[in-house]
Amino acid sequence: MTAPTDSWNGILGPDEEILWQGQPRSTIDWSGLLSPITLMGVFFTGFSLFWIAMAISLTAGSGAPFPFNFFPLFGLPFLAIGLWMLGGRLVLDVWLRGHTWYTLTNQTAFVARNALGKKTLESWPIADMDRIVWEDGSPGSVIFHMKHGSMPVSRRNATRIRFLGFHQIDEAQQVYGLMRRARRELRENDA
């Protein structure tokens, strides 16, 4: 067990002690490429490169220098979307994990993030967790909350579910055990 540092003053309760702290593994999860989104990325990237190349070749004889010839630039948004779908989403995920920290106390699970100049700290009381899920793997994850959100307008009545927790950690099985034990002790103390 770790004694809280000064940065936790005012955040932790009087009887709250830190059981575990860690950070997600920040390596690219190549399995994310096995997705229909990647196939769409191939289409978008190929189409946009074809558009830009054809627009440049068709407008090359107009006499206007390239920066002042805007027609080829219409392909840039499609190129950005295609590159995002191809692998940019995986790179962003790695970057966000590199700016994320996890803390487990005997009462609360915390997820802290410091990205793009914005610091956030989310917390979930362990006593209120009705489900704790251990996802085995190397690295594994411990899921303890489902967050419902709405889908884009094209799918009006659909909801998107995000599984929140300690993702891609090497000590997933140990953290899962610590969380279950802490929840059991909290419930026994309340009874």
Side-chain angles (χ1 to χ4, degrees), residues 128-186:
D128 296 344
M129 294 178 187
D130 61 342
R131 182 180 313 165
I132 302 171
V133 179
W134 166 41
E135 291 180 351
D136 192 18
S138 179
S141 297
V142 179
I143 309 301
F144 49 78
H145 184 73
M146 292 187 317
K147 185 175 185 178
H148 298 275
S150 60
M151 291 294 282
V153 177
S154 62
R155 302 172 87 187
R156 289 187 184 265
N157 293 327
T159 59
R160 181 180 67 198
I161 299 174
R162 284 184 28 210
F163 297 97
L164 305 176
F166 300 147
H167 293 278
Q168 301 215 2
I169 55 174
D170 292 320
E171 309 89 1
Q173 184 176 6
Q174 295 166 325
V175 172
Y176 173 75
L178 288 170
M179 289 185 82
R180 288 193 48 169
R181 190 174 317 120
R183 184 178 63 175
R184 185 172 51 248
E185 288 173 3
L186 288 169

Side-chain angles (χ1 to χ4, degrees), residues 41-61:
V42 170
F43 171 75
F44 267 87
T45 303
F47 172 77
S48 62
L49 290 173
F50 174 75
W51 172 274
I52 293 169
M54 291 303 294
I56 289 173
S57 68
L58 290 174
T59 58

Side-chain angles (χ1 to χ4, degrees), residues 33-87:
L33 290 177
L34 301 173
S35 161
I37 294 174
T38 306
L39 186 59
M40 290 289 293
V42 170
F43 171 75
F44 267 87
T45 303
F47 172 77
S48 62
L49 290 173
F50 174 75
W51 172 274
I52 293 169
M54 291 303 294
I56 289 173
S57 68
L58 290 174
T59 58
S62 68
F66 175 70
F68 300 107
N69 187 351
F70 295 107
F71 195 58
L73 300 178
F74 287 117
L76 290 180
F78 294 101
L79 180 62
I81 291 169
L83 292 174
W84 169 258
M85 290 184 198
L86 270 176

Side-chain angles (χ1 to χ4, degrees), residues 64-113:
F66 175 70
F68 300 107
N69 187 351
F70 295 107
F71 195 58
L73 300 178
F74 287 117
L76 290 180
F78 294 101
L79 180 62
I81 291 169
L83 292 174
W84 169 258
M85 290 184 198
L86 270 176
R89 58 195 164 84
L90 302 178
V91 173
L92 178 64
D93 182 53
V94 167
W95 184 82
L96 284 174
R97 279 188 272 128
H99 292 81
T100 302
W101 293 267
Y102 301 138
T103 299
L104 175 66
T105 72
N106 59 336
Q107 298 175 21
T108 313
F110 292 97
V111 176
R113 183 168 283 152

